[in-house]
Amino acid sequence: MPATPEPALPDAGRCPLCGGDNRCAMEIARDTGEAQPPCWCVDATFSRELLERIPAEARGQACICAACVAQALRASRP
């Protein structure tokens, strides 16, 4: 019986919500081996609702992009 293939991990350079480039400085540093300035996300606020939208298989694997964070922030304002 053939082995069941492992599901592919999400691309750490892509937002797990929209698939766009997440510009994660930590991931860029891992990819290039070059130190990066602190990532934009260090000072960002990620609501619980936004984090819960990440598919289970992508949680802890890739960063949400700035555009999705900004969109969620705008949507949460009255």
Side-chain angles (χ1 to χ4, degrees):
M1 173 159 52
T4 304
E6 295 276 333
L9 291 176
D11 181 346
R14 299 268 163 217
C15 175
L17 299 177
C18 72
D21 184 356
N22 62 23
R23 302 301 305 154
C24 177
M26 292 176 275
E27 189 59 33
I28 293 169
R30 269 192 291 274
D31 281 349
T32 66
E34 297 177 17
Q36 300 291 307
C39 191
W40 65 269
C41 68
V42 173
D43 294 322
T45 300
F46 297 83
S47 69
R48 180 179 317 208
E49 293 80 13
L50 179 62
L51 295 173
E52 288 174 351
R53 290 179 38 211
I54 300 171
E57 65 276 5
R59 291 183 184 165
Q61 303 296 318
C63 296
I64 298 171
C65 71
C68 285
V69 173
Q71 181 182 26
L73 183 59
R74 284 190 303 273
S76 70
R77 292 186 180 156

